[in-house]
Amino acid sequence: MTDTLKTRREREKQARYDAILDAAELVFSEKGYERTSMDDIARTASLSRALLYVYFKDKAAIQRGIMVRAGHSLFRRFEEARQTADNGLDQVRAIGESYYRFYLEESDYFSALTTASTAMADADENQAEAMLCSESDLMELMAGAIEQGLEDGTINRERITNPLQTALYLRGALHGVILLCQSEMGEGNPDFPAEQLIRHTIDMLTSSISA
């Protein structure tokens, strides 16, 4: 097989893989994950059921593919957020605000990442590695902002002994508050001050590590 033919086939394979995920995202959004069948996804992707199974062994594997996509989307948002600020503390704040926007603007991806840790248990080697790498990239980017803050003096060295551990704490704390807001809004409490609480949380978290 020539290199050109191999490259073309690889592109075609990737395009079909992406088309399946595109179709699954659409059907999951319309019908919900539980009510969606592999036939629904195959039909939406204009593929045979047999060909669909060549790429994904089951619906859960497709969902894990979407989780990897979600992680890449969030990484791009975090990366862009860091570029909007000059010092480390402001970068941490910008990342926090971008995480909230991610929840608002890509709620399906946010929900997918919320369940990623449990979904990883059934993943095959390739998907598990992709999911782990995606999560690792996110946390290293956050830790990088914290390390920059330690270097430029905007983040308190006495409070930070492990930038990665601190990044995990900051993301976990904000994630928990976002889930609280989501729950309150979902229970028919339209007057719940979600955005004010999120802003307050970001203020509290950044002030807790500031110099």
Side-chain angles (χ1 to χ4, degrees):
M1 184 185 297
T2 66
D3 290 341
T4 301
L5 181 58
K6 183 178 179 182
T7 301
R8 188 180 72 210
R9 289 187 175 179
E10 288 174 348
R11 287 200 303 267
E12 290 172 350
K13 184 177 180 181
Q14 184 62 50
R16 194 169 288 123
Y17 180 93
D18 290 337
I20 292 170
L21 293 184
D22 289 342
E25 286 185 24
L26 178 61
V27 183
F28 289 164
S29 178
E30 292 176 348
K31 300 182 64 173
Y33 176 80
E34 295 299 333
R35 292 191 300 275
T36 296
S37 67
M38 292 291 275
D39 282 335
D40 292 329
I41 297 170
R43 185 164 51 251
T44 304
S46 300
L47 298 174
S48 69
R49 182 185 173 93
L51 187 54
L52 179 61
Y53 278 105
V54 170
Y55 287 84
F56 296 96
K57 67 177 183 178
D58 54 25
K59 188 170 65 172
I62 294 176
Q63 177 69 346
R64 287 191 291 270
I66 292 173
M67 290 173 182
V68 173
R69 271 190 171 184
H72 291 163
S73 178
L74 183 57
F75 179 85
R76 286 192 295 272
R77 283 176 176 265
F78 280 9
E79 198 170 38
E80 290 168 1
R82 278 198 70 180
Q83 294 171 0
T84 65
D86 294 327
N87 66 66
L89 185 66
D90 286 344
Q91 288 178 13
V92 170
R93 172 180 287 276
I95 287 172
E97 291 173 349
S98 73
Y99 195 43
Y100 180 50
R101 287 195 300 274
F102 177 69
Y103 159 70
L104 292 175
E105 297 168 6
E106 299 186 85
S107 58
D108 288 342
Y109 276 179
F110 178 86
S111 296
L113 289 182
T114 298
T115 60
S117 59
T118 55
M120 200 179 301
D122 297 321
D124 62 27
E125 184 177 348
N126 289 335
Q127 279 195 323
E129 182 179 1
M131 293 169 75
L132 285 170
C133 287
S134 177
E135 178 66 15
S136 176
D137 288 344
L138 281 169
M139 301 320 301
E140 286 180 7
L141 192 149
M142 286 188 67
I146 294 169
E147 288 167 358
Q148 182 166 334
L150 292 172
E151 292 173 4
D152 64 32
T154 57
I155 291 179
N156 193 325
R157 284 190 173 276
E158 294 181 1
R159 296 177 184 172
I160 308 298
T161 57
N162 185 321
L164 181 57
Q165 187 178 64
T166 303
L168 287 165
Y169 158 70
L170 293 173
R171 182 182 172 190
L174 182 56
H175 184 81
V177 174
I178 291 174
L179 289 182
L180 171 64
C181 293
Q182 186 180 50
S183 175
E184 290 290 337
M185 300 293 284
E187 291 178 2
N189 187 0
D191 295 326
F192 186 79
E195 183 157 351
Q196 293 94 317
L197 179 57
I198 294 295
R199 300 295 176 198
H200 177 66
T201 300
I202 293 173
D203 287 343
M204 293 292 288
L205 290 173
T206 52
S207 66
S208 73
I209 62 172
S210 65

Coordinates of all heavy atoms in Angstrom, one line a residue, residues 120-162:
M120 N -14.7 5.6 32.6 CA -13.4 5.1 32.3 C -13.1 3.7 32.6 O -12.3 3.0 32.0 CB -12.3 6.0 32.9 CG -10.9 6.0 32.2 SD -9.7 7.0 33.0 CE -10.5 8.6 32.8
A121 N -13.9 3.2 33.6 CA -13.6 1.8 34.1 C -13.9 0.8 33.1 O -13.2 -0.3 33.0 CB -14.5 1.6 35.3
D122 N -14.8 1.1 32.1 CA -15.2 0.1 31.1 C -14.5 0.4 29.8 O -14.8 -0.2 28.8 CB -16.7 0.1 30.9 CG -17.4 -0.4 32.2 OD1 -16.9 -1.3 32.8 OD2 -18.5 0.1 32.5
A123 N -13.6 1.4 29.7 CA -13.0 1.8 28.4 C -12.0 0.8 28.0 O -11.3 0.2 28.8 CB -12.5 3.2 28.6
D124 N -11.8 0.7 26.7 CA -10.7 -0.1 26.2 C -9.4 0.7 26.4 O -9.4 1.9 26.8 CB -10.9 -0.5 24.8 CG -11.0 0.6 23.8 OD1 -10.4 1.7 24.0 OD2 -11.6 0.5 22.7
E125 N -8.3 0.1 26.1 CA -7.0 0.7 26.4 C -6.8 2.1 25.6 O -6.3 3.0 26.2 CB -5.8 -0.2 25.9 CG -4.4 0.3 26.3 CD -3.4 -0.7 25.9 OE1 -3.7 -1.8 25.6 OE2 -2.2 -0.3 25.9
N126 N -7.2 2.1 24.4 CA -7.0 3.4 23.6 C -7.9 4.5 24.2 O -7.4 5.6 24.3 CB -7.4 3.1 22.1 CG -6.3 2.3 21.4 OD1 -5.2 2.2 21.9 ND2 -6.7 1.6 20.4
Q127 N -9.2 4.2 24.4 CA -10.1 5.2 25.0 C -9.6 5.6 26.4 O -9.7 6.8 26.7 CB -11.5 4.7 25.0 CG -12.2 4.9 23.6 CD -13.7 4.7 23.7 OE1 -14.2 3.9 24.5 NE2 -14.4 5.5 22.9
A128 N -9.2 4.7 27.2 CA -8.8 5.0 28.5 C -7.6 6.0 28.5 O -7.5 6.9 29.3 CB -8.5 3.8 29.3
E129 N -6.7 5.7 27.6 CA -5.5 6.5 27.5 C -5.8 7.9 27.0 O -5.3 8.9 27.5 CB -4.5 5.9 26.5 CG -3.2 6.7 26.4 CD -2.2 6.0 25.5 OE1 -2.5 4.9 24.9 OE2 -1.1 6.6 25.3
A130 N -6.8 8.0 26.0 CA -7.2 9.3 25.5 C -7.9 10.1 26.6 O -7.6 11.3 26.7 CB -8.1 9.1 24.3
M131 N -8.7 9.5 27.4 CA -9.4 10.2 28.5 C -8.5 10.6 29.5 O -8.6 11.7 30.0 CB -10.5 9.3 29.0 CG -11.6 9.0 28.0 SD -12.8 7.7 28.6 CE -13.7 8.6 29.9
L132 N -7.5 9.8 29.9 CA -6.5 10.1 30.9 C -5.6 11.3 30.4 O -5.3 12.2 31.2 CB -5.7 8.9 31.3 CG -6.4 7.9 32.2 CD1 -5.5 6.6 32.3 CD2 -6.6 8.4 33.6
C133 N -5.2 11.2 29.2 CA -4.4 12.3 28.6 C -5.1 13.6 28.6 O -4.5 14.6 28.9 CB -3.9 11.9 27.2 SG -2.6 10.6 27.2
S134 N -6.4 13.5 28.2 CA -7.2 14.8 28.2 C -7.3 15.4 29.5 O -7.1 16.6 29.7 CB -8.6 14.4 27.6 OG -9.4 15.6 27.6
E135 N -7.6 14.6 30.6 CA -7.7 15.1 31.9 C -6.4 15.6 32.4 O -6.3 16.7 33.0 CB -8.2 14.0 32.8 CG -8.4 14.4 34.3 CD -9.4 15.5 34.5 OE1 -10.2 15.7 33.6 OE2 -9.4 16.1 35.6
S136 N -5.3 14.9 32.1 CA -4.0 15.3 32.5 C -3.6 16.7 31.9 O -3.0 17.6 32.6 CB -2.9 14.3 32.1 OG -1.6 14.7 32.5
D137 N -3.9 16.8 30.6 CA -3.6 18.1 29.9 C -4.3 19.3 30.6 O -3.7 20.4 30.7 CB -4.0 18.0 28.4 CG -3.1 17.1 27.6 OD1 -2.0 16.8 28.2 OD2 -3.4 16.7 26.5
L138 N -5.6 19.1 30.9 CA -6.4 20.1 31.6 C -5.7 20.6 32.9 O -5.6 21.8 33.1 CB -7.8 19.6 31.9 CG -8.8 19.6 30.7 CD1 -10.0 18.9 31.1 CD2 -9.1 21.0 30.3
M139 N -5.4 19.6 33.7 CA -4.9 19.9 35.0 C -3.5 20.5 35.0 O -3.1 21.4 35.7 CB -4.9 18.7 35.9 CG -6.3 18.1 36.1 SD -7.6 19.3 36.3 CE -7.1 20.2 37.8
E140 N -2.6 20.0 34.0 CA -1.3 20.6 33.8 C -1.4 22.1 33.4 O -0.6 22.9 33.8 CB -0.5 19.8 32.8 CG 0.0 18.4 33.4 CD 0.8 17.6 32.4 OE1 1.1 18.2 31.3 OE2 1.1 16.5 32.7
L141 N -2.4 22.4 32.5 CA -2.6 23.7 32.1 C -2.9 24.6 33.3 O -2.4 25.7 33.4 CB -3.6 23.8 31.0 CG -3.8 25.1 30.2 CD1 -4.2 24.8 28.8 CD2 -4.7 26.1 30.9
M142 N -3.8 24.2 34.1 CA -4.2 24.9 35.3 C -3.0 25.1 36.3 O -2.8 26.1 36.8 CB -5.4 24.2 36.1 CG -6.7 24.4 35.4 SD -8.0 23.7 36.4 CE -8.0 24.9 37.8
A143 N -2.3 24.0 36.5 CA -1.1 24.0 37.3 C -0.1 25.0 36.8 O 0.6 25.7 37.5 CB -0.5 22.6 37.5
G144 N 0.0 25.1 35.4 CA 0.9 26.0 34.8 C 0.6 27.5 35.2 O 1.5 28.3 35.4
A145 N -0.7 27.8 35.2 CA -1.1 29.1 35.6 C -0.7 29.4 37.0 O -0.3 30.5 37.4 CB -2.6 29.3 35.4
I146 N -0.9 28.4 37.9 CA -0.5 28.6 39.3 C 1.0 28.8 39.5 O 1.4 29.6 40.2 CB -1.0 27.4 40.1 CG1 -2.6 27.4 40.1 CG2 -0.5 27.4 41.6 CD1 -3.2 26.1 40.7
E147 N 1.7 28.0 38.7 CA 3.2 28.1 38.8 C 3.6 29.5 38.3 O 4.6 30.1 38.9 CB 3.8 27.0 37.9 CG 3.7 25.6 38.5 CD 4.1 24.5 37.6 OE1 4.4 24.8 36.4 OE2 4.0 23.3 38.0
Q148 N 3.0 30.0 37.3 CA 3.3 31.3 36.8 C 3.0 32.4 37.9 O 3.8 33.3 38.1 CB 2.6 31.7 35.5 CG 3.0 33.0 35.0 CD 2.5 33.3 33.5 OE1 2.3 32.3 32.8 NE2 2.3 34.5 33.2
G149 N 1.9 32.2 38.6 CA 1.6 33.1 39.6 C 2.6 33.1 40.8 O 2.8 34.1 41.4
L150 N 3.1 31.9 41.1 CA 4.1 31.8 42.1 C 5.4 32.5 41.7 O 6.1 33.1 42.5 CB 4.4 30.3 42.4 CG 3.3 29.5 43.0 CD1 3.7 28.0 43.1 CD2 3.0 30.0 44.4
E151 N 5.7 32.4 40.4 CA 6.9 33.1 39.9 C 6.7 34.6 39.8 O 7.7 35.4 40.1 CB 7.2 32.5 38.5 CG 7.7 31.1 38.5 CD 7.9 30.5 37.1 OE1 7.7 31.3 36.1 OE2 8.1 29.3 37.0
D152 N 5.5 35.1 39.4 CA 5.4 36.5 39.2 C 4.9 37.2 40.5 O 4.7 38.4 40.5 CB 4.4 36.9 38.1 CG 3.0 36.4 38.2 OD1 2.5 36.3 39.4 OD2 2.4 36.0 37.2
G153 N 4.7 36.4 41.6 CA 4.4 37.0 42.9 C 2.9 37.3 43.1 O 2.6 37.9 44.2
T154 N 2.0 36.9 42.2 CA 0.6 37.2 42.4 C -0.1 36.1 43.2 O -1.2 36.3 43.7 CB -0.2 37.3 41.1 OG1 0.1 36.2 40.3 CG2 0.3 38.6 40.3
I155 N 0.6 34.9 43.4 CA 0.0 33.8 44.2 C 0.9 33.6 45.3 O 2.2 33.6 45.2 CB -0.1 32.6 43.3 CG1 -1.3 32.8 42.3 CG2 -0.5 31.3 44.1 CD1 -1.5 31.6 41.3
N156 N 0.4 33.3 46.5 CA 1.1 33.2 47.8 C 1.8 31.9 47.9 O 1.2 30.8 47.9 CB 0.1 33.3 48.9 CG 0.7 33.5 50.2 OD1 1.8 33.0 50.5 ND2 0.1 34.3 51.1
R157 N 3.2 32.0 47.9 CA 4.0 30.7 48.0 C 3.8 30.0 49.3 O 3.9 28.8 49.4 CB 5.5 31.1 47.9 CG 5.9 31.4 46.5 CD 7.4 31.6 46.4 NE 7.8 31.7 45.0 CZ 8.0 30.7 44.2 NH1 7.8 29.4 44.6 NH2 8.4 30.9 42.9
E158 N 3.4 30.7 50.4 CA 3.2 30.0 51.7 C 2.0 29.1 51.7 O 1.9 28.2 52.5 CB 3.1 31.1 52.8 CG 4.4 31.8 53.0 CD 4.3 32.8 54.1 OE1 3.2 32.9 54.8 OE2 5.3 33.6 54.4
R159 N 1.0 29.4 50.8 CA -0.2 28.6 50.8 C -0.2 27.5 49.7 O -1.0 26.6 49.8 CB -1.4 29.6 50.4 CG -1.6 30.6 51.5 CD -2.8 31.6 51.1 NE -3.0 32.6 52.0 CZ -3.8 33.7 51.8 NH1 -4.5 33.7 50.7 NH2 -3.9 34.6 52.7
I160 N 0.8 27.6 48.8 CA 0.8 26.6 47.7 C 2.1 25.7 47.9 O 3.2 26.2 47.7 CB 0.8 27.2 46.4 CG1 -0.4 28.2 46.2 CG2 0.7 26.2 45.3 CD1 -1.7 27.6 46.4
T161 N 1.9 24.5 48.2 CA 3.0 23.5 48.2 C 3.0 22.6 47.0 O 4.1 22.1 46.6 CB 3.0 22.7 49.5 OG1 1.7 21.9 49.5 CG2 3.1 23.5 50.7
N162 N 1.9 22.5 46.3 CA 1.8 21.6 45.2 C 0.8 22.2 44.2 O -0.4 22.1 44.4 CB 1.3 20.2 45.6 CG 1.3 19.2 44.5 OD1 0.9 19.5 43.4 ND2 1.7 17.9 44.8

